[in-house]
Short mmCIF file of all heavy atoms in Angstrom, two decimals:
data_model
loop_
_atom_site.label_atom_id
_atom_site.label_comp_id
_atom_site.label_asym_id
_atom_site.label_seq_id
_atom_site.Cartn_x
_atom_site.Cartn_y
_atom_site.Cartn_z
N MET H 18 14.75 -11.31 5.67
CA MET H 18 13.38 -10.79 5.74
C MET H 18 12.57 -11.57 6.78
O MET H 18 12.56 -12.78 6.78
CB MET H 18 12.71 -10.88 4.38
CG MET H 18 11.84 -9.65 4.18
SD MET H 18 10.63 -9.69 2.90
CE MET H 18 11.26 -10.64 1.57
N SER H 19 11.91 -10.83 7.66
CA SER H 19 11.12 -11.48 8.69
C SER H 19 9.70 -11.72 8.22
O SER H 19 9.03 -10.83 7.72
CB SER H 19 11.12 -10.62 9.95
OG SER H 19 10.15 -11.10 10.85
N THR H 20 9.22 -12.94 8.38
CA THR H 20 7.85 -13.25 7.99
C THR H 20 6.97 -13.49 9.22
O THR H 20 5.79 -13.71 9.09
CB THR H 20 7.80 -14.49 7.09
OG1 THR H 20 8.51 -15.54 7.73
CG2 THR H 20 8.40 -14.21 5.73
N SER H 21 7.59 -13.46 10.41
CA SER H 21 6.82 -13.73 11.62
C SER H 21 6.11 -12.47 12.13
O SER H 21 5.19 -12.54 12.92
CB SER H 21 7.73 -14.28 12.71
OG SER H 21 8.77 -13.37 12.97
N GLU H 22 6.54 -11.31 11.65
CA GLU H 22 5.94 -10.06 12.07
C GLU H 22 4.55 -9.91 11.46
O GLU H 22 4.39 -10.06 10.26
CB GLU H 22 6.83 -8.91 11.60
CG GLU H 22 6.99 -7.82 12.64
CD GLU H 22 8.01 -6.80 12.18
OE1 GLU H 22 9.20 -7.15 12.11
OE2 GLU H 22 7.59 -5.68 11.86
N PRO H 23 3.54 -9.62 12.28
CA PRO H 23 2.20 -9.43 11.72
C PRO H 23 2.14 -8.15 10.89
O PRO H 23 2.61 -7.10 11.33
CB PRO H 23 1.30 -9.34 12.95
CG PRO H 23 2.20 -8.93 14.07
CD PRO H 23 3.58 -9.42 13.73
N VAL H 24 1.57 -8.27 9.71
CA VAL H 24 1.46 -7.11 8.83
C VAL H 24 0.00 -6.92 8.45
O VAL H 24 -0.66 -7.84 7.99
CB VAL H 24 2.31 -7.31 7.54
CG1 VAL H 24 2.03 -6.19 6.55
CG2 VAL H 24 3.78 -7.37 7.89
N ARG H 25 -0.49 -5.72 8.70
CA ARG H 25 -1.87 -5.40 8.35
C ARG H 25 -1.92 -4.16 7.48
O ARG H 25 -1.14 -3.24 7.67
CB ARG H 25 -2.69 -5.16 9.63
CG ARG H 25 -3.12 -6.45 10.29
CD ARG H 25 -4.01 -6.17 11.47
NE ARG H 25 -4.36 -7.41 12.16
CZ ARG H 25 -5.32 -8.23 11.75
NH1 ARG H 25 -6.05 -7.93 10.70
NH2 ARG H 25 -5.57 -9.35 12.40
N CYS H 26 -2.88 -4.15 6.57
CA CYS H 26 -3.07 -2.98 5.72
C CYS H 26 -3.52 -1.80 6.57
O CYS H 26 -4.41 -1.94 7.40
CB CYS H 26 -4.10 -3.28 4.64
SG CYS H 26 -4.48 -1.83 3.65
N GLU H 27 -2.89 -0.67 6.36
CA GLU H 27 -3.20 0.50 7.15
C GLU H 27 -4.60 1.05 6.85
O GLU H 27 -5.21 1.70 7.67
CB GLU H 27 -2.17 1.58 6.83
CG GLU H 27 -1.63 2.22 8.08
CD GLU H 27 -0.60 3.27 7.76
OE1 GLU H 27 -0.73 3.97 6.75
OE2 GLU H 27 0.32 3.39 8.54
N ARG H 28 -5.08 0.79 5.65
CA ARG H 28 -6.36 1.39 5.24
C ARG H 28 -7.55 0.48 5.53
O ARG H 28 -8.58 0.94 5.98
CB ARG H 28 -6.32 1.72 3.76
CG ARG H 28 -5.33 2.81 3.46
CD ARG H 28 -5.72 3.55 2.21
NE ARG H 28 -5.02 4.82 2.14
CZ ARG H 28 -5.22 5.72 1.19
NH1 ARG H 28 -6.10 5.50 0.23
NH2 ARG H 28 -4.56 6.84 1.18
N CYS H 29 -7.43 -0.82 5.22
CA CYS H 29 -8.60 -1.68 5.37
C CYS H 29 -8.40 -2.77 6.42
O CYS H 29 -9.32 -3.52 6.72
CB CYS H 29 -8.97 -2.30 4.02
SG CYS H 29 -7.80 -3.50 3.43
N GLY H 30 -7.19 -2.87 7.00
CA GLY H 30 -6.96 -3.83 8.05
C GLY H 30 -6.78 -5.25 7.58
O GLY H 30 -6.77 -6.17 8.39
N ARG H 31 -6.63 -5.45 6.27
CA ARG H 31 -6.42 -6.79 5.72
C ARG H 31 -5.14 -7.40 6.28
O ARG H 31 -4.14 -6.72 6.46
CB ARG H 31 -6.31 -6.65 4.19
CG ARG H 31 -6.17 -7.95 3.44
CD ARG H 31 -6.50 -7.67 1.99
NE ARG H 31 -5.78 -8.52 1.07
CZ ARG H 31 -5.84 -8.36 -0.26
NH1 ARG H 31 -6.56 -7.39 -0.78
NH2 ARG H 31 -5.19 -9.16 -1.06
N ASP H 32 -5.21 -8.70 6.59
CA ASP H 32 -4.07 -9.40 7.17
C ASP H 32 -3.24 -10.03 6.06
O ASP H 32 -3.73 -10.86 5.30
CB ASP H 32 -4.59 -10.48 8.12
CG ASP H 32 -3.48 -11.06 8.97
OD1 ASP H 32 -2.30 -10.93 8.58
OD2 ASP H 32 -3.79 -11.63 10.03
N ARG H 33 -1.97 -9.61 5.99
CA ARG H 33 -1.12 -10.09 4.91
C ARG H 33 -0.89 -11.60 5.00
O ARG H 33 -0.69 -12.27 3.99
CB ARG H 33 0.22 -9.36 4.98
CG ARG H 33 1.07 -9.57 3.75
CD ARG H 33 2.38 -8.83 3.91
NE ARG H 33 3.21 -8.92 2.73
CZ ARG H 33 4.54 -9.08 2.77
NH1 ARG H 33 5.15 -9.13 3.90
NH2 ARG H 33 5.22 -9.16 1.65
N ALA H 34 -0.90 -12.13 6.24
CA ALA H 34 -0.66 -13.57 6.42
C ALA H 34 -1.75 -14.41 5.78
O ALA H 34 -1.56 -15.58 5.50
CB ALA H 34 -0.56 -13.88 7.91
N GLU H 35 -2.92 -13.80 5.53
CA GLU H 35 -4.03 -14.56 4.94
C GLU H 35 -4.02 -14.49 3.42
O GLU H 35 -4.83 -15.13 2.75
CB GLU H 35 -5.37 -14.00 5.47
CG GLU H 35 -5.57 -14.36 6.93
CD GLU H 35 -6.78 -13.67 7.53
OE1 GLU H 35 -7.55 -13.04 6.78
OE2 GLU H 35 -6.95 -13.75 8.75
N ASP H 36 -3.11 -13.70 2.86
CA ASP H 36 -3.01 -13.60 1.40
C ASP H 36 -2.19 -14.76 0.84
O ASP H 36 -1.42 -15.40 1.55
CB ASP H 36 -2.33 -12.28 1.02
CG ASP H 36 -3.32 -11.15 0.86
OD1 ASP H 36 -4.52 -11.39 1.09
OD2 ASP H 36 -2.90 -10.05 0.51
N THR H 37 -2.35 -15.02 -0.45
CA THR H 37 -1.51 -16.01 -1.11
C THR H 37 -0.10 -15.42 -1.25
O THR H 37 0.09 -14.21 -1.13
CB THR H 37 -2.05 -16.34 -2.51
OG1 THR H 37 -2.00 -15.14 -3.30
CG2 THR H 37 -3.47 -16.84 -2.45
N ASP H 38 0.87 -16.28 -1.51
CA ASP H 38 2.25 -15.80 -1.65
C ASP H 38 2.35 -14.75 -2.75
O ASP H 38 3.02 -13.73 -2.61
CB ASP H 38 3.18 -16.97 -1.98
CG ASP H 38 3.41 -17.85 -0.75
OD1 ASP H 38 3.05 -17.42 0.35
OD2 ASP H 38 3.96 -18.94 -0.91
N ALA H 39 1.67 -14.99 -3.86
CA ALA H 39 1.73 -14.06 -4.99
C ALA H 39 1.17 -12.70 -4.60
O ALA H 39 1.73 -11.66 -4.94
CB ALA H 39 0.97 -14.62 -6.18
N GLU H 40 0.05 -12.71 -3.86
CA GLU H 40 -0.54 -11.44 -3.45
C GLU H 40 0.30 -10.75 -2.39
O GLU H 40 0.43 -9.54 -2.39
CB GLU H 40 -1.96 -11.68 -2.93
CG GLU H 40 -2.98 -11.78 -4.03
CD GLU H 40 -4.39 -11.65 -3.46
OE1 GLU H 40 -4.69 -12.37 -2.50
OE2 GLU H 40 -5.16 -10.85 -4.00
N ALA H 41 0.88 -11.55 -1.49
CA ALA H 41 1.70 -10.96 -0.43
C ALA H 41 2.87 -10.19 -1.01
O ALA H 41 3.30 -9.18 -0.45
CB ALA H 41 2.20 -12.06 0.50
N LEU H 42 3.37 -10.64 -2.15
CA LEU H 42 4.50 -9.96 -2.79
C LEU H 42 4.09 -8.61 -3.36
O LEU H 42 4.92 -7.73 -3.57
CB LEU H 42 5.07 -10.82 -3.93
CG LEU H 42 5.90 -12.03 -3.49
CD1 LEU H 42 6.25 -12.88 -4.70
CD2 LEU H 42 7.17 -11.60 -2.77
N ALA H 43 2.79 -8.43 -3.60
CA ALA H 43 2.31 -7.19 -4.22
C ALA H 43 2.03 -6.10 -3.19
O ALA H 43 1.67 -4.99 -3.55
CB ALA H 43 1.06 -7.48 -5.05
N TRP H 44 2.17 -6.45 -1.92
CA TRP H 44 1.94 -5.44 -0.88
C TRP H 44 2.99 -4.34 -0.98
O TRP H 44 4.15 -4.61 -1.31
CB TRP H 44 1.99 -6.08 0.51
CG TRP H 44 0.71 -6.77 0.89
CD1 TRP H 44 0.11 -7.77 0.21
CD2 TRP H 44 -0.10 -6.51 2.03
NE1 TRP H 44 -1.05 -8.15 0.85
CE2 TRP H 44 -1.20 -7.39 1.98
CE3 TRP H 44 -0.01 -5.62 3.09
CZ2 TRP H 44 -2.20 -7.39 2.94
CZ3 TRP H 44 -1.01 -5.62 4.06
CH2 TRP H 44 -2.08 -6.50 3.98
N ALA H 45 2.59 -3.11 -0.66
CA ALA H 45 3.50 -1.97 -0.72
C ALA H 45 3.81 -1.50 0.69
O ALA H 45 2.91 -1.36 1.50
CB ALA H 45 2.88 -0.85 -1.53
N SER H 46 5.09 -1.27 0.97
CA SER H 46 5.48 -0.76 2.28
C SER H 46 6.11 0.62 2.13
O SER H 46 6.75 0.92 1.14
CB SER H 46 6.46 -1.71 2.97
OG SER H 46 7.70 -1.71 2.32
N ASP H 47 5.88 1.42 3.16
CA ASP H 47 6.41 2.78 3.17
C ASP H 47 6.96 3.03 4.57
O ASP H 47 6.25 2.86 5.54
CB ASP H 47 5.29 3.76 2.82
CG ASP H 47 5.81 5.18 2.72
OD1 ASP H 47 6.94 5.36 2.24
OD2 ASP H 47 5.08 6.10 3.13
N THR H 48 8.21 3.39 4.66
CA THR H 48 8.82 3.58 5.98
C THR H 48 9.11 5.05 6.24
O THR H 48 9.68 5.74 5.40
CB THR H 48 10.14 2.78 6.07
OG1 THR H 48 9.89 1.43 5.73
CG2 THR H 48 10.70 2.84 7.47
N ASP H 49 8.66 5.53 7.39
CA ASP H 49 9.00 6.89 7.81
C ASP H 49 9.40 6.88 9.28
O ASP H 49 9.64 5.82 9.86
CB ASP H 49 7.86 7.86 7.51
CG ASP H 49 6.62 7.55 8.32
OD1 ASP H 49 6.72 6.79 9.32
OD2 ASP H 49 5.54 8.05 7.97
N ASP H 50 9.45 8.03 9.90
CA ASP H 50 9.93 8.14 11.28
C ASP H 50 9.10 7.31 12.26
O ASP H 50 9.61 6.83 13.27
CB ASP H 50 9.89 9.60 11.74
CG ASP H 50 10.93 10.43 11.00
OD1 ASP H 50 11.83 9.82 10.41
OD2 ASP H 50 10.83 11.66 11.02
N SER H 51 7.81 7.14 11.98
CA SER H 51 6.95 6.44 12.92
C SER H 51 6.92 4.94 12.68
O SER H 51 6.23 4.22 13.38
CB SER H 51 5.53 7.02 12.86
OG SER H 51 4.99 6.91 11.57
N GLY H 52 7.65 4.46 11.67
CA GLY H 52 7.69 3.03 11.42
C GLY H 52 7.36 2.67 9.98
O GLY H 52 7.40 3.52 9.09
N THR H 53 7.02 1.38 9.78
CA THR H 53 6.71 0.91 8.44
C THR H 53 5.20 0.82 8.25
O THR H 53 4.50 0.26 9.09
CB THR H 53 7.33 -0.47 8.19
OG1 THR H 53 8.73 -0.38 8.40
CG2 THR H 53 7.06 -0.93 6.77
N HIS H 54 4.69 1.40 7.19
CA HIS H 54 3.27 1.37 6.89
C HIS H 54 3.04 0.47 5.69
O HIS H 54 3.75 0.56 4.70
CB HIS H 54 2.77 2.78 6.58
CG HIS H 54 3.14 3.77 7.65
ND1 HIS H 54 2.37 3.93 8.78
CD2 HIS H 54 4.18 4.60 7.78
CE1 HIS H 54 2.95 4.85 9.55
NE2 HIS H 54 4.05 5.28 8.97
N TRP H 55 2.02 -0.39 5.80
CA TRP H 55 1.75 -1.36 4.73
C TRP H 55 0.41 -1.08 4.06
O TRP H 55 -0.55 -0.69 4.72
CB TRP H 55 1.73 -2.77 5.31
CG TRP H 55 3.10 -3.28 5.64
CD1 TRP H 55 3.73 -3.17 6.84
CD2 TRP H 55 4.00 -3.95 4.78
NE1 TRP H 55 4.98 -3.74 6.76
CE2 TRP H 55 5.17 -4.23 5.50
CE3 TRP H 55 3.93 -4.35 3.43
CZ2 TRP H 55 6.26 -4.89 4.95
CZ3 TRP H 55 5.01 -5.01 2.88
CH2 TRP H 55 6.17 -5.28 3.63
N LEU H 56 0.39 -1.31 2.76
CA LEU H 56 -0.86 -1.21 2.01
C LEU H 56 -1.05 -2.49 1.22
O LEU H 56 -0.13 -2.96 0.55
CB LEU H 56 -0.80 -0.02 1.03
CG LEU H 56 -0.95 1.38 1.63
CD1 LEU H 56 -0.75 2.41 0.53
CD2 LEU H 56 -2.29 1.57 2.29
N CYS H 57 -2.26 -3.07 1.30
CA CYS H 57 -2.55 -4.26 0.51
C CYS H 57 -2.61 -3.86 -0.96
O CYS H 57 -2.74 -2.68 -1.29
CB CYS H 57 -3.85 -4.90 0.98
SG CYS H 57 -5.33 -3.97 0.55
N PRO H 58 -2.54 -4.83 -1.88
CA PRO H 58 -2.51 -4.51 -3.32
C PRO H 58 -3.66 -3.63 -3.76
O PRO H 58 -3.46 -2.68 -4.53
CB PRO H 58 -2.56 -5.89 -3.99
CG PRO H 58 -1.95 -6.81 -2.99
CD PRO H 58 -2.36 -6.27 -1.64
N SER H 59 -4.89 -3.90 -3.31
CA SER H 59 -6.02 -3.10 -3.78
C SER H 59 -5.97 -1.69 -3.23
O SER H 59 -6.28 -0.73 -3.94
CB SER H 59 -7.35 -3.78 -3.45
OG SER H 59 -7.42 -4.04 -2.08
N CYS H 60 -5.57 -1.52 -1.97
CA CYS H 60 -5.46 -0.18 -1.41
C CYS H 60 -4.28 0.56 -2.03
O CYS H 60 -4.34 1.77 -2.24
CB CYS H 60 -5.29 -0.24 0.10
SG CYS H 60 -6.79 -0.73 0.96
N ALA H 61 -3.20 -0.16 -2.32
CA ALA H 61 -2.03 0.47 -2.94
C ALA H 61 -2.41 1.03 -4.31
O ALA H 61 -2.00 2.13 -4.67
CB ALA H 61 -0.89 -0.54 -3.07
N ARG H 62 -3.22 0.27 -5.06
CA ARG H 62 -3.65 0.73 -6.38
C ARG H 62 -4.49 2.00 -6.24
O ARG H 62 -4.32 2.95 -6.99
CB ARG H 62 -4.46 -0.35 -7.10
CG ARG H 62 -3.63 -1.21 -8.00
CD ARG H 62 -4.50 -1.99 -8.96
NE ARG H 62 -5.39 -2.92 -8.26
CZ ARG H 62 -5.08 -4.16 -7.93
NH1 ARG H 62 -3.88 -4.62 -8.22
NH2 ARG H 62 -5.93 -4.93 -7.32
N ARG H 63 -5.40 1.99 -5.26
CA ARG H 63 -6.24 3.16 -5.05
C ARG H 63 -5.39 4.35 -4.61
O ARG H 63 -5.63 5.47 -5.01
CB ARG H 63 -7.30 2.83 -3.98
CG ARG H 63 -8.52 3.70 -4.09
CD ARG H 63 -9.61 3.17 -3.17
NE ARG H 63 -9.92 1.76 -3.41
CZ ARG H 63 -10.35 0.92 -2.47
NH1 ARG H 63 -10.49 1.33 -1.25
NH2 ARG H 63 -10.63 -0.32 -2.78
N HIS H 64 -4.40 4.07 -3.77
CA HIS H 64 -3.52 5.11 -3.26
C HIS H 64 -2.77 5.77 -4.42
O HIS H 64 -2.64 6.98 -4.49
CB HIS H 64 -2.55 4.49 -2.26
CG HIS H 64 -1.68 5.48 -1.56
ND1 HIS H 64 -2.19 6.53 -0.84
CD2 HIS H 64 -0.33 5.59 -1.46
CE1 HIS H 64 -1.19 7.23 -0.33
NE2 HIS H 64 -0.05 6.69 -0.69
N VAL H 65 -2.29 4.94 -5.36
CA VAL H 65 -1.56 5.47 -6.51
C VAL H 65 -2.48 6.38 -7.32
O VAL H 65 -2.08 7.45 -7.75
CB VAL H 65 -1.02 4.32 -7.39
CG1 VAL H 65 -0.57 4.85 -8.75
CG2 VAL H 65 0.14 3.63 -6.69
N ARG H 66 -3.74 5.96 -7.48
CA ARG H 66 -4.69 6.79 -8.22
C ARG H 66 -4.93 8.10 -7.50
O ARG H 66 -5.07 9.14 -8.13
CB ARG H 66 -6.02 6.04 -8.40
CG ARG H 66 -6.03 5.21 -9.66
CD ARG H 66 -7.45 4.77 -9.98
NE ARG H 66 -7.42 3.41 -10.52
CZ ARG H 66 -8.06 2.39 -9.99
NH1 ARG H 66 -8.81 2.57 -8.93
NH2 ARG H 66 -7.97 1.21 -10.52
N ASP H 67 -4.99 8.06 -6.16
CA ASP H 67 -5.17 9.28 -5.39
C ASP H 67 -4.04 10.25 -5.67
O ASP H 67 -4.25 11.44 -5.89
CB ASP H 67 -5.18 8.97 -3.88
CG ASP H 67 -6.47 8.32 -3.44
OD1 ASP H 67 -7.42 8.33 -4.26
OD2 ASP H 67 -6.53 7.83 -2.32
N ILE H 68 -2.82 9.72 -5.67
CA ILE H 68 -1.65 10.57 -5.91
C ILE H 68 -1.72 11.16 -7.31
O ILE H 68 -1.52 12.36 -7.50
CB ILE H 68 -0.35 9.74 -5.73
CG1 ILE H 68 -0.19 9.34 -4.26
CG2 ILE H 68 0.85 10.56 -6.20
CD1 ILE H 68 0.89 8.30 -4.05
N GLU H 69 -2.04 10.32 -8.29
CA GLU H 69 -2.12 10.81 -9.67
C GLU H 69 -3.22 11.85 -9.80
O GLU H 69 -3.08 12.83 -10.52
CB GLU H 69 -2.38 9.65 -10.63
CG GLU H 69 -1.13 8.81 -10.86
CD GLU H 69 -1.43 7.57 -11.66
OE1 GLU H 69 -2.63 7.28 -11.89
OE2 GLU H 69 -0.48 6.89 -12.06
N GLY H 70 -4.34 11.62 -9.09
CA GLY H 70 -5.46 12.54 -9.18
C GLY H 70 -5.15 13.91 -8.60
O GLY H 70 -5.81 14.88 -8.94
N LYS H 71 -4.17 13.95 -7.69
CA LYS H 71 -3.85 15.21 -7.05
C LYS H 71 -2.76 15.99 -7.78
O LYS H 71 -2.40 17.09 -7.38
CB LYS H 71 -3.40 14.96 -5.60
CG LYS H 71 -4.59 14.69 -4.69
CD LYS H 71 -4.14 14.18 -3.32
CE LYS H 71 -5.33 13.67 -2.54
NZ LYS H 71 -4.92 12.75 -1.48
N LEU H 72 -2.24 15.39 -8.84
CA LEU H 72 -1.22 16.11 -9.62
C LEU H 72 -1.83 17.35 -10.25
O LEU H 72 -2.92 17.31 -10.79
CB LEU H 72 -0.67 15.20 -10.74
CG LEU H 72 0.44 14.24 -10.34
CD1 LEU H 72 0.82 13.40 -11.56
CD2 LEU H 72 1.66 14.97 -9.84
N PRO H 73 -1.11 18.46 -10.20
CA PRO H 73 -1.61 19.67 -10.84
C PRO H 73 -1.76 19.45 -12.34
O PRO H 73 -1.02 18.68 -12.93
CB PRO H 73 -0.51 20.71 -10.56
CG PRO H 73 0.30 20.16 -9.44
CD PRO H 73 0.18 18.66 -9.52
N ARG H 74 -2.72 20.14 -12.92
CA ARG H 74 -2.98 19.99 -14.34
C ARG H 74 -1.76 20.36 -15.19
O ARG H 74 -1.60 19.90 -16.30
CB ARG H 74 -4.16 20.87 -14.77
CG ARG H 74 -5.49 20.22 -14.44
CD ARG H 74 -6.65 21.15 -14.79
NE ARG H 74 -7.92 20.45 -14.61
CZ ARG H 74 -8.47 19.68 -15.56
NH1 ARG H 74 -7.87 19.55 -16.72
NH2 ARG H 74 -9.60 19.07 -15.34
N GLU H 75 -0.92 21.21 -14.65
CA GLU H 75 0.28 21.64 -15.39
C GLU H 75 1.15 20.46 -15.79
O GLU H 75 1.91 20.54 -16.75
CB GLU H 75 1.11 22.62 -14.55
CG GLU H 75 0.54 24.03 -14.47
CD GLU H 75 -0.56 24.13 -13.44
OE1 GLU H 75 -0.88 23.12 -12.78
OE2 GLU H 75 -1.12 25.21 -13.30
N TYR H 76 1.02 19.35 -15.04
CA TYR H 76 1.86 18.20 -15.33
C TYR H 76 1.43 17.46 -16.58
O TYR H 76 2.13 16.64 -17.10
CB TYR H 76 1.84 17.22 -14.15
CG TYR H 76 2.75 17.65 -13.01
CD1 TYR H 76 2.54 18.84 -12.35
CD2 TYR H 76 3.81 16.85 -12.62
CE1 TYR H 76 3.37 19.21 -11.30
CE2 TYR H 76 4.64 17.22 -11.58
CZ TYR H 76 4.41 18.41 -10.92
OH TYR H 76 5.22 18.77 -9.90
N TRP H 77 0.21 17.72 -17.06
CA TRP H 77 -0.32 16.94 -18.19
C TRP H 77 -0.17 17.59 -19.52
O TRP H 77 -0.19 18.58 -19.84
CB TRP H 77 -1.78 16.60 -17.96
CG TRP H 77 -1.91 15.78 -16.74
CD1 TRP H 77 -2.26 16.19 -15.51
CD2 TRP H 77 -1.65 14.35 -16.60
NE1 TRP H 77 -2.22 15.13 -14.62
CE2 TRP H 77 -1.87 14.02 -15.25
CE3 TRP H 77 -1.25 13.35 -17.52
CZ2 TRP H 77 -1.71 12.72 -14.80
CZ3 TRP H 77 -1.10 12.06 -17.06
CH2 TRP H 77 -1.32 11.74 -15.71
ZN1 ZN O 16 -6.09 -2.57 2.19
#
């Protein structure tokens, strides 16, 4: 695992290098054709809520 690569949150621009080790582990990465996208823990939580909020009511 490379730690020298700069990682920034795609949504709020937070710098992962400035997080504590424990928080850095909570970052979420998503890889697609255009590369790897990172979300900081707080944005990742919000993102998960967005996904849940968009679920059709039939799922409940
Ligand atoms: Zn963020």
Side-chain angles (χ1 to χ4, degrees):
M18 218 196 326
S19 168
T20 52
S21 58
E22 222 173 292
V24 172
R25 280 184 183 279
C26 175
E27 226 179 35
R28 294 206 163 184
C29 69
R31 183 163 149 185
D32 191 339
R33 192 181 183 219
E35 289 172 8
D36 272 2
T37 63
D38 286 348
E40 278 195 310
L42 286 173
W44 279 58
S46 69
D47 184 37
T48 306
D49 65 16
D50 291 344
S51 59
T53 303
H54 307 276
W55 286 92
L56 285 176
C57 71
S59 55
C60 289
R62 266 196 297 272
R63 204 171 305 150
H64 186 56
V65 166
R66 271 194 217 122
D67 286 348
I68 293 168
E69 284 172 351
K71 282 169 191 159
L72 276 178
R74 279 177 174 274
E75 284 81 1
Y76 281 61
W77 299 98

